[in-house]
Each structure stands twice: as structure tokens, then as C-alpha cells.
Amino acid sequence: MKRLWALAVLSVAMGILPGVGASAQIDMSQGPPAQPAGPNVIPADTQFAIQLDDTLDTNKLSNGKKFKAKLAQDLQAPDGEVIPMGSKIKAHVSSVDRGLHSQLLLSFDQIETRHGWVPLAATVMGVPGEHSVSETTGPEGEINHSKVDARREVESAAIGAGLGAAAGAAAGGGKGAAIGAAIGGGLGTGAGFLTGRNIRLNKGQELELKLDRDIFLRRG
């Protein structure tokens, strides 16, 4: 009788174990769990500010153009290791578009630390205090020109037309004034396009960045 009871218990246990094993499996469909950053790591998604050491003007820039910047604040790892404010940054222009919808895409390559240069990958999140560009950047960190001010362009064209008319009248009046007004109006509108839609970030302009990847700092 005891032997039969032991066999029954063993059968029940064997029936339960496969279910337990299945329920204990770890779902890896979402990839391995994220590991916490080390004490000597400035983690991705950290936001910080930099200052440009060069002027960036979409009328003069080309793809690949290198420029320099510097940290506008300290970057500190959990263990206290710091990349101090003023540290140099190497970067380049990834893409530049001119015209009706000016756009500027910047890439950051390296940042100076106490132990030498380390890779830097970051995205521009904002351009504070610069009203000629949008307050927020595009999905890839593109710096875009702010919305066109139609009133400004109409005023620009009107001023140009007035100057042209005055010049035409002085030259011969009548037909000359009309031609001068047309030419002046064209110049006025053109000037509005150039000054109203160009992106220019002056030396010293602050940019808000977010780290795309961790920065690993050497200790000691």
C-alpha cells in the first residue's frame, strides 16, 4: 500500500513540474533588462548646455563643416568625477538647408575630459533666447527657422517699393517712377527673404543638448 501511495505522489509531482518550469521562464522578447549605469558613467538622456565657439550661418555653411563649442555647465558622474564647465567640444555640420525652410543639423563628435578626449553623441533639444529659430528642434535634433513673419515681409516690400519710386521720380518721373517702384519692390521682398529665413547662430549662443549614449570616464 505504501508503495502505491508513493507512486501516486510521484506521478502528481511530475505532472506539476512542467507547468512550474513553463511559468518560471523569463520573457526575453523585449531584450535583456537594462543595466544601471556605473558610478563613473554620465548616463544617456542627461541634458546639459553648451556654448558655441564659432558662428554658424546657413548662408555660409556646408555639410561636414567642423566647428567648436564648450560646456556651459559641469557634467558629473555618480562617483563625483566631473567634466568641468568650459571643456572643449568638437563637432560638425551634418546637414544644412537654405531657402524657404532653412534647417541645420549638428553632430557632436568628442568632448575633452581630464584624461583626454572621449566620444560624444548628443542631440540638440533647444536654442534658448534665439527668436529666429523654433524653440523646439525636429525629431533628429534639426534646428529649424521659426515661422515666417508675413507682416515683416510685406513691410519690407513696401519700403523697397517706396525707395524705388523715389529714385524713379528723381530720374524722370512718370514711367520712370513706376519702373523704379517695381524694381524697389522686388529688392524689398528679396531682402525680406534673405534676412527673415536665414539661420544664424552667433558665437556664444547657448544650445541645449541631450546625451544619446553614455559617457564613460576614467578614474583617478
Side-chain angles (χ1 to χ4, degrees):
M1 185 68 180
K2 290 183 179 180
R3 183 177 179 183
L4 291 174
W5 174 253
L7 288 172
V9 171
L10 181 59
S11 299
V12 171
M14 291 181 67
I16 293 174
L17 283 175
V20 173
S23 63
Q25 289 180 355
I26 298 174
D27 182 10
M28 298 296 289
S29 61
Q30 303 300 320
Q35 297 296 319
N40 62 325
V41 172
I42 300 173
D45 294 331
T46 297
Q47 297 194 23
F48 60 103
I50 68 169
Q51 267 188 336
L52 294 176
D53 278 343
D54 297 302
T55 295
L56 303 179
D57 189 328
T58 52
N59 276 342
K60 301 177 181 179
L61 291 173
S62 58
N63 294 351
K65 176 68 176 178
K66 295 180 180 180
F67 67 93
K68 297 177 182 178
K70 60 188 174 187
L71 269 182
Q73 64 183 87
D74 290 348
L75 274 178
Q76 185 169 352
D79 66 356
E81 188 68 27
V82 172
I83 305 178
M85 181 175 66
S87 296
K88 298 176 183 178
I89 293 171
K90 295 178 181 179
H92 70 276
V93 175
S94 290
S95 176
V96 56
D97 292 322
R98 305 175 184 83
L100 184 61
H101 301 290
S102 296
Q103 190 177 86
L104 189 60
L105 182 61
L106 308 178
S107 292
F108 302 90
D109 306 314
Q110 292 181 304
I111 186 169
E112 182 185 32
T113 72
R114 301 182 192 276
H115 303 286
W117 293 88
V118 298
L120 173 64
T123 298
V124 178
M125 302 300 292
V127 187
E130 177 50 62
H131 302 297
S132 68
V133 299
S134 299
E135 292 183 4
T136 56
T137 57
E140 296 183 8
E142 308 97 318
I143 299 172
N144 298 294
H145 195 280
S146 59
K147 293 181 179 179
V148 175
D149 188 341
R151 182 175 181 179
R152 176 182 176 186
E153 296 211 357
V154 169
E155 290 174 350
S156 179
I159 293 170
L163 292 175
K175 185 177 180 181
I179 294 172
I183 296 174
L187 289 174
T189 304
F193 277 5
L194 289 175
T195 59
R197 296 175 182 175
N198 178 45
I199 296 177
R200 180 183 173 90
L201 303 177
N202 292 317
K203 178 180 179 179
Q205 171 66 50
E206 188 171 292
L207 303 179
E208 295 174 346
L209 270 58
K210 182 177 74 171
L211 286 180
D212 295 331
R213 292 199 297 267
D214 296 347
I215 297 179
F216 295 86
L217 300 177
R218 288 174 52 192
R219 296 173 177 172

